[in-house]
Amino acid sequence: MPVWRVEPAFQGPECGKFWIWGESSMDSDPPGNDPVPLMIAPSTSSIVIAAGLRSPWIKAGGQFRGEDAGHLGATVTRELLARTGVPAEELDEVITGAVGPPHDQANLSRVIALRAGIPREVPARTVARNCASGMEAVTQAVTEIRAGNGSLYMCLGVEVMSAYPLIMGRKLTGFFESMMKARSLPARLATIASFRPSMLAPRVALLEGLRDPVTNLLMGQTAEVLVRDFGLTREACDTYATESHHRARMSRDRGRFEREILPMAPLSRKPIKDLVRHDDGIRNDQTVEALGRMRPYFEKPDGVVTIGNSCGITDGACALLITTEEKARELGLQPLARIKSYAWAGCDPSRMGLGPVFSSKLALEAAGCSLADMDVIEINEAFAAQVLACKQAFSSDDFAQKHLGQETAMGEIDPAKLNPNGGAVALGHPVGATGARLLLTAAHELAVGDHNLALATLCIGGGQGGAVVLERMDGSAV
């Protein structure tokens, strides 16, 4: 007699639907026969970005230098709940991505949730995937919804790089340990005599965090590897960086970012004269000539990567409501975009900047789309060189054959589609928050530009890539 089996389709063009399989009895079927799919039934509801909001992206050491991650994340979360009218008690969980959460805010997501006024009965977890931590929070929510574990998640990416500490070095730690163990006066005097000024040299958490422990390369040095691999020039990188600033300035001036940004009064011991309203890394009059005068930072004296054509060290937070289309309607929300697919991929850690190529291939296949189908492409600008290398890899038959297992290239990227509002070279890169910001910016751009499909992708320190394909919802507000 027939046996029926229902399986969700998580990959390919049928993603978000269910396969219904029919199998005959094993007695009557020849050995090795595969089950035959009889029909494809749509799932009850697709998964959407229902709403989102972010803080301004502020240069580390600037207006957010007095902030802490818990306060920054809670401020954005509280406002998003207020604007949408979503009852906090209906949230299934709060998921927060962060790379360097404060040591005194264990499980940062829980701190944010409680400070935002979310009931204590709602659980929270903190996740990390380096630069993609904010995107990781979203994809974990998608996985939970697909698994039937919930239908409404608050997802955040948060990073306050201003608060990254100087760490006591091992020599100084050993000195204090010896002092604690010394019981007699002679022992204490001997320990004091062993002190050397060099013991005071701190470990810089930021620099250590930006160095890959496997290859021992700083992230900027991995970009220099790509410079050599793809024959990139200093002028090309500076030209790309200049364009990023120009696009960001034009988008800011026409009010494009007002759709995303919550004006904020930052934590400060001094009186606040005005709210922080804009991303402050944008250089209004940036020129290629000015960037050309900057010295190489990672490989001296003849490297290509400089501070000027790299992303800025930045503070920021971004919150997204992830739910089903059905739940969004129930809550009276008009979603920003449908999450059509996502994918993660690994690659060579010394060439981590190519991660978007590998992950985008998988995400596009899962969505049943091609690169040419994308109307908007958001690639995080960790370095101008890294984005230019990705563009070449996307369009290279040779790269596709050697690394992607296919005969032809994924395709050329139209410069007009790529980061139309500028990217991290101009806006900055608060590492744990950027993945969420890319999704928010891409979702809004679908409506603003009257587009249908968007790809948001980024490289990840350690040699990975993450990518999400978004689809515009009917009726998305312009």
Side-chain angles (χ1 to χ4, degrees):
M1 59 182 294
V3 178
W4 300 92
R5 187 170 82 252
V6 179
E7 293 182 357
F10 291 135
Q11 299 290 327
E14 311 307 337
C15 184
K17 299 180 179 180
F18 290 95
W19 285 107
I20 300 179
W21 301 84
E23 300 179 26
S24 300
S25 68
M26 295 300 294
D27 293 337
S28 60
D29 269 358
N33 266 16
D34 291 328
V36 179
L38 301 183
M39 64 178 290
I40 301 170
S43 62
T44 56
S45 186
S46 57
I47 301 171
V48 301
I49 300 175
L53 195 63
R54 69 176 176 93
S55 74
W57 263 208
I58 300 299
K59 290 183 287 187
Q63 292 169 294
F64 283 174
R65 63 185 176 276
E67 276 288 352
D68 71 70
H71 176 265
L72 194 62
T75 302
V76 176
T77 300
R78 189 184 306 113
E79 181 66 18
L80 183 57
L81 289 171
R83 291 189 182 190
T84 58
V86 171
E89 62 271 16
E90 291 201 24
L91 292 171
D92 291 298
E93 192 170 9
V94 179
I95 307 176
T96 301
V99 177
H103 70 278
D104 57 352
Q105 294 180 1
N107 192 2
L108 173 61
S109 192
R110 182 63 169 170
V111 175
I112 289 171
L114 295 177
R115 287 187 177 181
I118 294 172
R120 61 188 182 186
E121 290 78 14
V122 177
R125 75 180 100 154
T126 305
V127 300
R129 199 193 283 258
N130 283 357
C131 302
S133 297
M135 186 178 285
E136 173 71 19
V138 172
T139 62
Q140 288 203 16
V142 172
T143 300
E144 294 288 353
I145 294 172
R146 285 177 173 174
N149 294 331
S151 62
L152 181 62
Y153 290 80
M154 178 67 72
C155 299
L156 297 98
V158 182
E159 207 71 47
V160 180
M161 302 184 80
S162 293
Y164 279 18
L166 297 178
I167 305 171
M168 188 182 298
R170 293 185 178 180
K171 290 183 179 180
L172 189 58
T173 302
F175 172 79
F176 285 124
E177 182 180 355
S178 297
M179 283 293 294
M180 292 176 64
K181 291 181 178 179
R183 299 300 182 211
S184 65
L185 179 60
R188 291 173 183 168
L189 292 173
T191 300
I192 292 172
S194 70
F195 177 81
R196 297 292 182 270
S198 62
M199 293 178 178
L200 296 175
R203 295 165 55 194
V204 182
L206 176 62
L207 289 179
E208 293 191 3
L210 293 176
R211 183 180 295 277
D212 178 65
V214 177
T215 63
N216 201 35
L217 295 176
L218 289 167
M219 295 298 102
Q221 291 174 309
T222 70
E224 292 283 9
V225 172
L226 298 182
V227 166
R228 294 189 289 272
D229 285 350
F230 290 89
L232 303 175
T233 66
R234 172 68 181 272
E235 183 179 10
C237 293
D238 288 347
T239 299
Y240 181 88
T242 300
E243 179 65 16
S244 182
H245 282 281
H246 287 176
R247 292 187 180 195
R249 174 180 54 79
M250 289 187 291
S251 293
R252 179 201 63 198
D253 291 348
R254 71 172 186 266
R256 165 63 181 81
F257 293 131
E258 291 177 8
R259 301 170 65 95
E260 306 176 11
I261 293 176
L262 167 67
M264 294 184 62
L267 286 178
S268 175
R269 295 178 180 177
K270 299 179 180 179
I272 303 298
K273 295 181 180 180
D274 194 10
L275 299 178
V276 180
R277 302 178 184 275
H278 303 291
D279 306 313
D280 72 351
I282 303 169
R283 303 186 197 113
N284 293 331
D285 301 312
Q286 185 65 71
T287 64
V288 176
E289 292 72 24
L291 288 180
R293 292 192 288 271
M294 301 187 77
R295 295 180 179 180
Y297 187 82
F298 297 98
E299 290 193 1
K300 303 171 183 178
D302 54 359
V304 166
V305 182
T306 69
I307 292 175
N309 58 37
S310 304
C311 65
I313 298 169
T314 313
D315 304 329
C318 180
L320 301 169
L321 270 174
I322 306 300
T323 185
T324 64
E325 189 172 353
E326 181 181 25
K327 183 70 173 179
R329 286 196 301 268
E330 178 186 318
L331 294 169
L333 301 176
Q334 176 57 55
L336 297 175
R338 179 181 293 110
I339 298 175
K340 197 168 176 65
S341 70
Y342 73 84
W344 301 99
C347 63
D348 179 359
S350 66
R351 294 167 174 80
M352 67 92 201
L354 295 176
V357 184
F358 294 94
S359 58
S360 294
K361 173 184 183 295
L362 299 178
L364 290 169
E365 288 176 351
C369 301
S370 68
L371 188 64
D373 294 328
M374 298 298 108
D375 302 304
V376 178
I377 299 174
E378 289 283 341
I379 300 179
N380 185 44
E381 296 170 354
F383 305 94
Q386 164 258 324
V387 178
L388 294 177
C390 284
K391 286 186 65 180
Q392 287 195 30
F394 273 118
S395 63
S396 168
D397 290 339
D398 183 62
F399 187 90
Q401 292 162 11
K402 290 181 178 178
H403 302 288
L404 301 180
Q406 58 188 50
E407 288 301 312
T408 58
M410 295 176 65
E412 297 274 352
I413 294 181
D414 181 349
K417 296 181 178 181
L418 178 61
N419 298 349
N421 301 291
V425 166
L427 304 177
H429 178 25
V431 284
T434 291
R437 198 278 300 172
L438 290 173
L439 294 172
L440 180 60
T441 298
H444 276 298
E445 194 60 27
L446 288 175
V448 171
D450 194 20
H451 300 307
N452 185 42
L453 293 169
L455 171 69
T457 182
L458 73 173
C459 60
I460 305 169
Q464 295 188 81
V468 177
V469 176
L470 300 178
E471 182 178 32
R472 184 181 176 182
M473 303 286 293
D474 292 336
S476 295
V478 177

